[in-house]
Amino acid sequence: MPTPKEEINIQKLYGKETTLPKNELLAEFSVSSDGLSEEQVKKQKELYGPNEVSQTKPKKWYHYFLQSLFSPFNSILMGISLILIYTDIILPNEPSYANIIVIFILVAVSTFLDFFEEYKSNQAAEKLKELVATNATVIREGKEMAIPLKEVTVGDIVLLTAGSMLPADLRIIEAKDLYVSQSSLTGESEAVKKLVDSELSLSELESITDLDTICFMGTNVISGSAKGVVIKIADSTYFGKIAHHLTRKPQTAFQKGVQGISRLLIRFMLVLIPIVFTLNVWKHDLILAFTFAVAIAIGITPLLLPVILSSSLSKGAIRMSKKKTIVKSLDSIQSFGAMNILCTDKTGTLTEDNIVLEKYLNIHGEEDTKVLKHAFLNSYFQTGLKGNIDEAVIKRGLEHEMKSYTEIYQKIDEIPFDFSRRRLSIIVSDGKKNQMITKGAVEEILSICQLVDDHGQVYPLTKEMKEKIKSMSTSLNQEGLRVIGVCQKNDIDVTRGFTVSEEKNMVFIGFIGFLDPPKASAKTSIKRLNDAGIRVIVLTGDNAEVTKAICQKVDINSNKIVLGNQIDKLPDMAVLRLLRKVNIFAKLSPIQKARIVRLLKEAGNIVGYMGDGINDSPSLTNSDVGISVDTAVDIAKESADIILLEKDLHVLLDGVTEGRKTFANLMKYIKMAVSFNFGEVSSVIVASILLPFLPITPIQLLVQSLLYDFGQLTLPFDNVDQEYTNHPRKWDIKSLKNFMLFMGPLSSSFDMIVFASLWFIFKVRDAATFQTIWFSYGVVSNLVGMHIIRTAKKPFTQSNASKIVYFSSILLSMIAIIFPFTFVGHAIGLISIPLVYLSVIIGVPILYCFVALVAKKIYIRKYGEWI
């Protein structure tokens, strides 16, 4: 029972809308049965705004800008600049603005690049989502029309059918056997019946979701049809009020990894500043030592990581859209590429999804139009989502001129399909008798039958006859036919309501058998997926025999098939053991499918789930990456991260390949940044201790970092070696540490060669000359080294970068060499140097390339990977 406070909340939220008769409700919202007029729609939109919940509403441009401006790295830079205002401007007799200007430029460049890429990538994602947007069907000015969910407004009359997503909170004004799933709000999987007139008083309600005349935003129709008037939209809905409490998909390993490395580098920055300051303060000016320590800390961070991340994901989404794969959630791209298990149903994925009714047989295995007639009436009059099976039955019935039955018979009621009963019943009358007709899985139909029809004569259904029926069904399944049982009973009392308890003492009539042949491409698709490191697990509601017949034809190991009722008896650990060796699970309910997906995830796999039905929503949400198709029901499309424009495994694999390419280019930047930055910072710290002057001034180090970061901005456009895309790739922090500790010292050793050459061979004792050579060398070596890091092969011969990567590397290297000769270079303490020093600036990076190629082979042999 609700507390007084809860009861007041129900009254406050919905008030009299829950009980008003249809005419009064329409009058309350100033709308006729023809729906809103164009003028009314305009007024309602001005009054209530768009139908978007704040939690899911697209961000405005300034949200992205502020997010970019106050990123963790920028926040630290701005904090440092406040200290520099004191140390560089207030404290000295002669203020110096150079360091602050450079930090301001760093912040500005980082902010605007990140803002531009983030905003542009999200705008691109929104445009792609519009291609597969979910619409609502409304009546306006007497016409039915499909409109985007955000266009729905208060007073709209919405039409609902099986599979529809509720676009807003509706008061039902017409309904036929309407059952709605409210699991998105309550977590309960049981469908709830919604009515025109409430059967509950307010005092009987235990929660708002018990209101039986209101359909809530975010829920979905399981079966039946209805009309409803929109009474609340956007944040005013129940969904809008609790949106921030609803469970969302957990962060992926990649998202956690990027955040983790960002936090790690920030902590490292904060620790590094006092250490470098302490090492240098005894030999350098106090302010210089501090600003140098700050510059070193900034230099080790990959400042443009957010930019590269946004750019890579955006480019990946656009490339994937050209391969008939629409990305709804940009962060799901990496999970798509890392996926090592794909869970899927067989219908439409392994089969043609073109079901044909092949047989309609009585208990003797003879064709019998009586069986077809009863199946036709059941499929024609049911108001749930008419799937391929119902369409096939209706098509065959019409071919046998059964259209007249739709005028002779009238529907009285319906007991919708659910996944526990696995059957559907309709009650019809021809004016002489009332009849219940039920169709469903053969085992479930037999369980409610006491009698059997034998050429018009009714006999008790004996144990022997049951076994014979089951044997016939199994035989048909083994031929690849999906078999549905049909039964009926007469003389139904129609004066009372119908419930599942009425499904008993029925008469078994016969079977209908359907053929859905395997796709010609399915066998090669499965092989390609396996070769790409993706294991395919079939999760289906069909029985074992028909599933085995299909899977054998497409080369999926079907030696062992586990049924849903078997895993219900097992603990999670036992199911996990089965999952290691079993590829096919049959006769599963939606909850059992979702459990399997959850267990696979918990075992450390990256799990994709492909589904397009009402029952697939829990598994799509549970998976690392939910995959659906643009022809799916609304709830499936809304739950998915990826939408395929064609239900084909070849299309899916093309999308996976693009996801892996995107991840590869991200990892190139991250590994380059941590290894080169780690190496350079180590070298500069050592040199600052050994040399009588700083090897590079703080402002020069900041400009240098900015230049080679610019050179890496083109990495999202880079080519990726085919070998890299042959296997799933997961975020691995251990791999990143190994790379940094292996390649970082190698980079640092060449830096030390440069220092030694300048000091001992070229006898450079002038600080400005030393700093200028080091400035140019640092940029060139990083950009040349980028071509070693970007591929596991030999660069320039076995693996070529994209043209734009080559162009940016050459351009930025030239700028780094020319920069000291410009007035801007002179402004930050660089000088024009003799051209002889180009032998160091260019020669040492070339030498590094040859040594790094040998180191690469050793690394790959030791760790079995590169990027």
Side-chain angles (χ1 to χ4, degrees):
M1 300 290 285
T3 63
K5 183 179 178 182
E6 286 172 330
E7 194 167 315
I8 290 167
N9 285 340
I10 294 172
Q11 288 178 331
K12 185 178 178 182
L13 191 58
Y14 297 106
K16 59 186 178 181
E17 291 107 327
T18 60
T19 55
L20 278 177
K22 175 180 175 178
N23 291 336
E24 292 182 32
L25 184 73
L26 293 174
E28 176 74 15
F29 289 92
S30 304
V31 60
S32 71
S33 55
D34 287 338
L36 295 173
S37 66
E38 212 172 296
E39 189 178 336
Q40 285 177 308
V41 169
K42 188 178 178 182
K43 286 181 180 178
Q44 296 293 73
K45 285 184 178 179
E46 288 174 359
L47 184 61
Y48 297 102
N51 182 30
E52 294 176 313
V53 176
S54 297
Q55 293 281 331
T56 58
K57 193 182 294 185
K59 294 178 183 176
K60 301 289 186 185
W61 67 268
Y62 49 82
H63 290 133
Y64 291 109
F65 180 78
L66 292 173
Q67 185 178 303
S68 299
L69 179 61
F70 294 105
S71 68
F73 292 132
N74 277 356
S75 298
I76 287 179
L77 288 176
M78 286 187 279
I80 290 169
S81 67
L82 293 176
I83 298 172
L84 290 176
I85 289 172
Y86 178 73
T87 59
D88 285 19
I89 298 175
I90 298 173
L91 203 59
N93 293 326
E94 294 184 11
S96 171
Y97 297 93
N99 287 324
I100 294 170
I101 290 170
V102 171
I103 288 181
F104 173 79
I105 292 170
L106 279 172
V107 171
V109 168
S110 174
T111 298
F112 283 106
L113 283 175
D114 185 33
F115 163 70
F116 178 74
E117 283 298 339
E118 184 78 11
Y119 183 67
K120 188 177 71 171
S121 63
N122 279 277
Q123 289 293 101
E126 288 298 318
K127 286 182 180 177
L128 291 175
K129 282 164 69 175
E130 286 174 9
L131 296 176
V132 291
T134 303
N135 291 328
T137 303
V138 299
I139 298 175
R140 287 182 179 173
E141 297 186 332
K143 297 175 184 176
E144 291 184 19
M145 58 179 68
I147 61 172
L149 299 187
K150 67 179 182 180
E151 298 295 323
V152 173
T153 191
V154 173
D156 262 324
I157 295 178
V158 179
L159 301 180
L160 302 174
T161 56
S164 297
M165 278 277 292
L166 270 296
D169 285 355
L170 312 181
R171 165 65 200 284
I172 300 302
I173 56 174
E174 291 179 21
K176 288 182 182 178
D177 306 305
L178 181 65
Y179 284 82
V180 174
S181 169
Q182 298 185 154
S183 60
S184 58
L185 301 179
T186 64
E188 299 294 329
S189 58
E190 186 105 8
V192 178
K193 188 167 188 177
K194 297 293 182 178
L195 307 163
V196 174
D197 299 309
S198 179
E199 293 179 348
L200 299 170
S201 65
L202 203 59
S203 60
E204 294 177 294
L205 300 178
E206 293 185 4
S207 74
I208 286 179
T209 53
D210 289 338
L211 285 167
D212 53 6
T213 58
I214 304 292
C215 286
F216 301 95
M217 179 189 231
T219 60
N220 62 284
V221 178
I222 297 295
S223 63
S225 59
K227 278 184 188 179
V229 177
V230 175
I231 56 175
K232 303 273 183 191
I233 65 167
D235 290 339
S236 299
T237 62
Y238 180 63
F239 178 89
K241 293 186 181 302
I242 66 165
H244 60 287
H245 294 302
L246 295 176
T247 304
R248 302 188 185 280
K249 271 196 173 185
Q251 283 187 316
T252 64
F254 177 70
Q255 289 171 313
K256 291 176 183 176
V258 170
Q259 289 182 3
I261 197 169
S262 298
R263 285 194 293 267
L264 177 66
L265 289 170
I266 287 169
R267 286 197 293 269
F268 195 40
M269 280 176 69
L270 297 176
V271 170
L272 200 60
I273 289 174
I275 292 174
V276 176
F277 175 74
T278 304
L279 289 172
N280 284 276
V281 71
W282 60 274
K283 60 186 292 190
H284 297 295
D285 175 72
L286 179 75
I287 294 173
L288 182 61
F290 175 75
T291 53
F292 180 69
V294 167
I296 287 287
I298 293 170
I300 202 169
T301 60
L303 292 174
L304 298 184
L305 177 58
V307 182
I308 300 288
L309 180 62
S310 300
S311 180
S312 295
L313 293 177
S314 173
K315 303 300 181 294
I318 291 168
R319 284 197 304 266
M320 288 169 74
S321 70
K322 294 174 182 176
K323 299 287 182 71
K324 300 182 181 180
T325 304
I326 303 300
V327 178
K328 287 179 59 188
S329 168
L330 287 177
D331 288 327
S332 66
I333 291 176
Q334 190 277 327
S335 296
F336 201 37
M339 178 175 67
N340 67 312
I341 291 180
L342 173 66
C343 296
T344 180
D345 195 353
K346 62 179 183 57
T347 305
T349 308
L350 306 181
T351 67
E352 292 286 358
D353 203 14
N354 183 22
I355 294 177
V356 178
L357 198 163
E358 286 283 317
K359 299 180 184 292
Y360 38 95
L361 309 174
N362 60 27
I363 59 170
H364 299 294
E366 304 162 340
E367 283 204 352
D368 192 334
T369 54
K370 182 177 182 179
V371 178
L372 179 59
K373 169 192 169 183
H374 284 80
F376 173 79
L377 290 171
N378 179 286
S379 292
Y380 185 86
F381 284 113
Q382 70 101 352
T383 58
L385 185 68
K386 281 186 168 57
N388 289 345
I389 283 179
D390 288 302
E391 289 173 358
V393 171
I394 293 168
K395 182 180 179 182
R396 181 52 64 92
L398 294 175
E399 288 172 1
H400 281 69
E401 298 181 353
M402 292 185 176
K403 176 69 175 174
S404 58
Y405 290 134
T406 63
E407 298 169 3
I408 296 170
Y409 286 87
Q410 288 192 340
K411 179 182 170 184
I412 297 171
D413 208 341
E414 176 177 357
I415 305 172
F417 178 87
D418 66 57
F419 289 93
S420 56
R421 290 165 40 249
R422 291 163 57 83
R423 58 182 181 259
L424 180 150
S425 296
I426 58 125
I427 298 90
V428 293
S429 173
D430 63 358
K432 299 173 185 175
K433 64 180 179 183
N434 303 317
Q435 190 177 22
M436 175 183 280
I437 303 172
T438 305
K439 77 173 190 297
V442 173
E443 298 87 342
E444 278 68 19
I445 292 296
L446 286 174
S447 70
I448 59 172
C449 289
Q450 296 292 320
L451 303 166
V452 62
D453 185 305
D454 186 355
H455 295 104
Q457 300 297 313
V458 176
Y459 301 101
L461 180 59
T462 62
K463 185 178 180 182
E464 291 77 16
M465 182 56 72
K466 271 191 178 182
E467 291 305 316
K468 179 185 175 184
I469 291 168
K470 287 180 181 178
S471 176
M472 288 173 62
S473 174
T474 301
S475 178
L476 291 168
N477 287 154
Q478 289 169 348
E479 293 176 22
L481 268 71
R482 183 174 179 181
V483 180
I484 302 291
V486 183
C487 63
Q488 65 92 27
K489 68 177 178 180
N490 297 326
D491 304 321
I492 307 296
D493 182 3
V494 296
T495 59
R496 52 195 171 82
F498 293 94
T499 63
V500 173
S501 61
E502 298 293 327
E503 294 177 332
K504 62 184 179 181
N505 302 325
M506 301 193 73
V507 182
F508 188 85
I509 303 173
F511 318 92
I512 45 176
F514 303 87
L515 187 63
D516 186 13
K519 281 184 176 176
S521 63
K523 191 173 182 177
T524 56
S525 296
I526 297 297
K527 186 179 185 306
R528 282 186 65 202
L529 284 166
N530 291 336
D531 290 344
I534 300 173
R535 178 186 169 201
V536 178
I537 297 179
V538 176
L539 307 180
T540 180
D542 276 356
N543 62 39
E545 289 78 12
V546 70
T547 302
K548 184 174 183 178
I550 295 294
C551 290
Q552 282 178 332
K553 291 177 182 177
V554 297
D555 277 0
I556 293 178
N557 186 345
S558 53
N559 292 334
K560 184 172 179 59
I561 297 177
V562 177
L563 304 181
N565 60 1
Q566 292 174 295
I567 67 169
D568 275 344
K569 299 170 186 174
L570 299 174
D572 285 354
M573 284 303 295
V575 177
L576 270 174
R577 282 195 294 272
L578 281 175
L579 284 165
R580 292 191 188 106
K581 51 191 177 182
V582 177
N583 291 322
I584 305 171
F585 293 80
K587 293 197 75 172
L588 296 177
S589 69
I591 302 304
Q592 290 164 340
K593 288 182 181 182
R595 182 190 180 198
I596 288 172
V597 170
R598 174 180 60 81
L599 291 174
L600 286 168
K601 273 183 64 178
E602 290 174 356
N605 298 292
I606 304 297
V607 184
Y609 182 87
M610 187 169 176
D612 61 357
I614 299 170
N615 58 316
D616 290 314
S617 178
S619 297
L620 287 166
T621 305
N622 268 13
S623 63
D624 290 291
V625 53
I627 307 156
S628 195
V629 291
D630 66 333
T631 54
V633 297
D634 293 351
I635 184 63
K637 287 201 289 185
E638 286 298 308
S639 302
D641 304 297
I642 304 281
I643 303 289
L644 305 182
L645 299 181
E646 188 177 318
K647 195 173 184 180
D648 190 290
L649 291 178
H650 282 303
V651 173
L652 181 141
L653 190 54
D654 288 340
V656 167
T657 301
E658 290 301 331
R660 291 176 182 177
K661 287 179 180 177
T662 301
F663 182 63
N665 287 334
L666 277 170
M667 290 310 297
K668 287 175 191 177
Y669 173 76
I670 292 171
K671 286 193 170 182
M672 270 182 236
V674 296
S675 60
F676 284 153
N677 292 8
F678 174 78
E680 183 182 12
V681 164
S682 303
S683 308
V684 171
I685 291 173
V686 171
S688 70
I689 298 169
L690 298 178
L691 296 172
F693 49 79
L694 291 177
I696 190 167
T697 66
I699 189 169
Q700 290 165 0
L701 185 57
L702 292 175
V703 174
Q704 184 192 60
S705 298
L706 192 61
L707 280 176
Y708 57 68
D709 266 350
F710 276 168
Q712 293 167 353
L713 277 176
T714 54
L715 280 174
F717 299 93
D718 194 21
N719 299 327
V720 176
D721 297 335
Q722 186 178 344
E723 291 80 358
Y724 187 89
T725 65
N726 287 342
H727 300 284
R729 305 287 175 171
K730 293 170 67 174
W731 174 268
D732 187 353
I733 191 69
K734 185 180 177 183
S735 168
L736 203 57
K737 288 177 181 176
N738 290 337
F739 195 89
M740 181 176 75
L741 295 174
F742 190 92
M743 295 304 291
L746 178 66
S747 171
S748 185
S749 65
F750 275 84
D751 295 343
M752 299 310 295
I753 289 172
V754 171
F755 292 148
S757 298
L758 294 178
W759 188 262
F760 294 109
I761 298 174
F762 290 96
K763 307 293 183 181
V764 176
R765 298 292 185 270
D766 174 55
T769 302
F770 197 103
Q771 291 161 356
T772 300
I773 296 167
W774 173 250
F775 174 88
S776 297
Y777 162 78
V779 177
V780 173
S781 65
N782 271 272
L783 293 174
V784 171
M786 179 173 74
H787 291 273
I788 298 293
I789 302 292
R790 62 162 292 277
T791 175
K793 299 179 179 181
K794 291 179 182 177
F796 314 119
T797 57
Q798 295 178 341
S799 174
N800 279 303
S802 64
K803 290 178 181 178
I804 193 169
V805 171
Y806 278 137
F807 176 77
S808 65
S809 301
I810 295 168
L811 178 65
L812 268 298
S813 295
M814 290 173 63
I815 289 172
I817 293 170
I818 296 168
F819 191 74
F821 295 88
T822 66
F823 75 93
V824 181
H826 296 162
I828 63 171
L830 301 175
I831 62 171
S832 302
I833 55 172
L835 296 180
V836 67
Y837 292 119
L838 288 177
S839 60
V840 174
I841 295 169
I842 298 173
V844 175
I846 292 173
L847 177 63
Y848 168 80
C849 284
F850 288 104
V851 176
L853 283 173
V854 177
K856 186 194 291 187
K857 287 183 179 178
I858 297 169
Y859 183 92
I860 293 172
R861 196 178 304 124
K862 182 176 182 180
Y863 295 108
E865 59 158 21
W866 182 242
I867 298 177

